[in-house]
Amino acid sequence: MIIKKKDTVLVLAGKDKGKKGEVKSVNPGKNKVVVAGVNMISKHTKPTQNKQGGIIQMESALDASNVAVICGKCKKAMTPKVQVSADGKKVRVCRKCNEPII
């Protein structure tokens, strides 16, 4: 999976198209990502001994194909490519400016 936790991404499709946010979690098995402040849903919860019940606003998962990583250097959204560095490690690289994504 090319998208990682704490990446800044741009939403490409859906009701929140055009919004930017930070990736909170990644699920490679289902090809899903959760982005902060994007794809908000209302969850109805029952009260327990530790929590008060009510309606909670929370983020729902998006498909990973509907988001694009934003490069920290050139500030453009793209799908990074993976290159093997000189020491044999895989590095994600921006397709626009050829800089490693941190």
Side-chain angles (χ1 to χ4, degrees):
M1 189 139 184
I2 294 175
I3 300 169
K4 295 186 178 182
K5 192 174 178 178
K6 296 194 177 179
D7 279 346
T8 304
V9 294
L10 174 71
V11 179
L12 301 175
K15 65 180 181 181
D16 293 320
K17 181 179 179 179
K19 286 188 180 180
K20 295 177 184 177
E22 184 177 292
V23 176
K24 289 175 69 175
S25 67
V26 177
N27 187 347
K30 294 185 178 180
N31 200 32
K32 300 277 186 181
V33 295
V34 176
V35 182
V38 176
N39 200 22
M40 299 297 286
I41 60 167
S42 298
K43 183 173 181 179
H44 298 256
T45 59
K46 286 189 171 185
T48 62
Q49 288 182 345
N50 300 331
K51 291 185 182 178
Q52 184 178 3
I55 301 171
I56 298 172
Q57 291 286 325
M58 62 184 294
E59 294 95 355
S60 182
L62 287 167
D63 198 82
S65 65
N66 291 338
V67 296
V69 178
I70 297 176
C71 177
K73 197 84 160 180
C74 62
K75 306 294 184 210
K76 294 182 181 175
M78 51 73 216
T79 304
K81 60 183 175 181
V82 179
Q83 289 182 343
V84 179
S85 63
D87 57 342
K89 292 185 179 180
K90 292 182 180 179
V91 179
R92 297 182 304 154
V93 178
C94 175
R95 289 184 186 271
K96 314 269 183 183
C97 64
N98 290 323
E99 290 294 322
I101 295 174
I102 299 169

